[in-house]
Amino acid sequence: MAGANFYNKEIPKEYIEKGYWQLPTLSEMWDRNAREYSDKEAVVDSRTRLTWAEAKKWIDRMALRFVELGLKKDDVMVLQLPNFVEFCLLRVALEKAGVFFLPALRTLRHEEMKYMLSHMKACGIVIPWKFRDFDYFQMVKEIQRDLPALQHIFVVGDEVPEGTISLKEIVNTPLEEKYPSDYLQGKGFSVTDISFVCHTTGTTGFPKFMEERACTLIHSGVRGDGACVKLNADDTLAALSPAAIGPNVINYFAAPYFAAKVALLEHFSAEEALELIEKEKVTIASGVPTQAVMMVRDANPDDYNLDSLRAFWLAGAPLGYEDAVEVEKKLGCQAVQVYGAVDFGGISSGSLDDSREMRFRTVGRPF
C-alpha cells in the first residue's frame, strides 16, 4: 500500500506479550472518556469547543456516514487541514470506520497533492474551502480529473461549494438513531493493525510515505512523552505545530489516554501562541524549537499570564543550550526534548525529573 512494513510476524507477538502493545485504540480512549468525563472539555480551537461527550457524538456520526457512503476497509482518506478540531476528531472517526487516515501539510500545493492522492489511490479528501487566502477546493477540482479514485470531497466550515460534502451537515444529523448502538463494532481497526499513513516533507522531490500502527505511537506517547511530563487529566496541552507532522504524538495519542484537554492553534505566531496559553490556561505547550525561540524573542512573554505553564515539550530538532536557558527563564517552565522521527514517533525523551544539564544536552532515556 504505502511503503515498507518494518515489523515481521514475530515482532507484534513479542510486543504484545511484553505489554508494549496492550493499550486501547484511539476510539476506545475517546469512548471511555465520554463515559467518565462526559462534561469535561476535550478539544478546542478558535471556532469550536467540545466536551468528551459532544466529541463522541461528532465522531460516531462521521464514522457512520463514512460507512453509509460505502467506504471500504483500507480505503484512504486524506486530510489537508489546519489545526482544526475536525482534524483531531476525524482521525478517530476514520479508525472507527476502518478507513486509512493520511494527514497532509496544509502548505502542500497542486503537484505534491496530486502525487499524494494518486500514489495512495485516495477515495476522499477533507479540506477547508479557503484558508489564509488560498482556495483548497479550487486546487482539488483542478487536479481531480487526473485522480479517478477520488470520489468524495468533504469540506469543513459553515458554507461549502456545490458538489462537496459538508462535515457540519453530517454532524448535525442524528445518524445514530438509524442504527443499533453496536453497529460500528468490528468495522474499525484494532490497536495492532496498520491504520494510517504519514508523509515526510522530504528534502527534494515528492513526499514519502510510512505505514503506521496506532499502537506504536500510543506506546510512545503514553509510556514515553506522557510519563516524562507527568501528563494527567487536569492538564491542557497547546498544539502549536502543524497537525499533519511534527511533535504531535503527545497531543493526539497521549492526551486522550490521560483524558487531557488539547487546545489547537490554527496558524502559528509568537503572539497568538502566548495568547492561547493565557486564555486556555495551558499547562504543557508542544512544538518545535524554532517556535519556542520565536515566543521569547519575537514577542514579550511578560505581557501575558503564563503562570499555568509547567512544561514545553519540544521535538523535530535540537534546542540549543543557550536557547533552552532563555526559553525556561522567560516562559517560566521546564523545557523537555524528545528524539524521534515521523517514521516511528519518539524513541527517547528528557523528563521533568531530569537535571537541567540532562534536559538541555541530551535527548534523555529510551522509552
Side-chain angles (χ1 to χ4, degrees):
M1 188 197 68
N5 179 5
F6 298 109
Y7 301 105
N8 61 34
K9 292 181 179 179
E10 293 304 311
I11 290 177
K13 180 181 176 183
E14 176 190 351
Y15 285 3
I16 291 169
E17 288 174 351
K18 290 182 176 179
Y20 301 148
W21 284 4
Q22 291 177 354
L23 290 164
T25 63
L26 280 174
S27 51
E28 287 169 345
M29 294 180 202
W30 284 79
D31 286 350
R32 177 205 64 198
N33 293 343
R35 295 190 303 269
E36 299 180 5
Y37 302 94
S38 59
D39 296 328
K40 181 178 179 288
E41 280 195 334
V43 59
V44 305
D45 61 21
S46 68
R47 306 149 42 253
T48 308
R49 310 185 75 89
L50 294 177
T51 65
W52 289 106
E54 291 167 339
K56 174 178 167 52
K57 182 183 292 186
W58 196 108
I59 289 165
D60 286 350
R61 288 177 179 178
M62 282 303 311
L64 288 168
R65 186 63 179 132
F66 289 142
V67 173
E68 280 189 340
L69 287 169
L71 272 62
K72 303 181 296 296
K73 193 149 191 171
D74 296 352
D75 278 344
V76 177
M77 182 73 67
V78 173
L79 272 64
Q80 191 178 27
L81 292 172
N83 286 15
F84 284 170
V85 160
E86 289 87 348
F87 176 94
C88 192
L89 303 185
L90 281 165
R91 182 190 289 272
V92 189
L94 289 163
E95 180 186 272
K96 279 196 170 188
V99 178
F100 276 102
F101 168 96
L102 171 54
L105 278 170
R106 66 173 173 85
T107 51
L108 298 182
R109 295 298 182 251
H110 292 67
E111 290 304 312
E112 295 95 342
M113 290 305 297
K114 181 178 175 181
Y115 173 80
M116 180 181 294
L117 292 159
S118 174
H119 185 79
M120 300 305 301
K121 298 180 172 60
C123 69
I125 186 170
V126 185
I127 54 173
W129 185 350
K130 296 177 182 178
F131 185 76
R132 292 185 62 79
D133 299 324
F134 183 75
D135 191 324
Y136 288 85
F137 172 68
Q138 183 63 34
M139 175 182 68
V140 172
K141 292 304 293 181
E142 289 171 3
I143 62 177
Q144 190 178 18
R145 58 180 172 269
D146 297 319
L147 301 167
L150 186 64
Q151 299 298 310
H152 308 291
I153 303 173
F154 298 86
V155 178
V156 172
D158 293 334
E159 298 181 3
V160 304
E162 186 177 349
T164 65
I165 303 171
S166 166
L167 260 68
K168 184 176 182 179
E169 183 176 325
I170 293 172
V171 299
N172 285 337
T173 303
L175 292 172
E176 67 278 4
E177 296 176 1
K178 296 170 56 178
Y179 301 96
S181 59
D182 62 351
Y183 183 76
L184 290 170
Q185 195 168 2
K187 290 183 169 56
F189 296 112
S190 76
V191 74
T192 56
D193 286 336
I194 294 171
S195 57
F196 64 101
V197 184
C198 289
H199 77 83
T200 66
T201 53
T203 50
T204 61
F206 292 110
K208 303 164 187 69
F209 305 96
M210 290 75 59
E211 298 170 336
E212 297 278 11
R213 286 173 165 87
C215 50
T216 61
L217 297 187
I218 293 172
H219 176 77
S220 172
V222 173
R223 308 293 188 226
D225 310 328
C228 288
V229 295
K230 301 180 180 180
L231 190 60
N232 63 74
D234 294 325
D235 278 317
T236 296
L237 294 94
L240 304 181
S241 59
I245 59 172
N248 281 308
V249 171
I250 195 168
N251 298 312
Y252 304 124
F253 294 93
Y257 180 87
F258 292 98
K261 171 181 165 181
V262 175
L264 299 119
L265 185 63
E266 293 153 28
H267 177 77
F268 179 82
S269 75
E271 292 83 0
E272 289 182 65
L274 293 166
E275 288 172 5
L276 182 70
I277 292 170
E278 179 181 63
K279 177 183 177 183
E280 299 296 338
K281 295 182 172 55
V282 168
T283 56
I284 301 169
S286 68
V288 297
T290 300
Q291 291 175 315
V293 172
M294 290 173 67
M295 288 165 66
V296 299
R297 295 184 185 167
D298 295 353
N300 184 5
D302 290 339
D303 292 341
Y304 304 87
N305 182 350
L306 307 178
D307 290 347
S308 62
L309 191 65
R310 60 184 176 85
F312 206 133
W313 189 87
L314 296 153
L319 179 66
Y321 188 92
E322 296 303 324
D323 292 335
V325 171
E326 185 178 7
V327 166
E328 289 203 344
K329 179 180 178 181
K330 292 186 176 180
L331 297 183
C333 67
Q334 289 180 271
V336 178
Q337 301 190 70
V338 64
Y339 175 74
V342 173
D343 309 55
F344 43 75
I347 62 170
S348 69
S349 175
S351 164
L352 296 180
D353 292 328
D354 290 336
S355 68
R356 189 168 83 166
E357 290 298 305
M358 185 174 290
R359 284 186 289 106
F360 291 1
R361 296 196 187 279
T362 79
V363 290
R365 299 173 179 84
F367 297 156

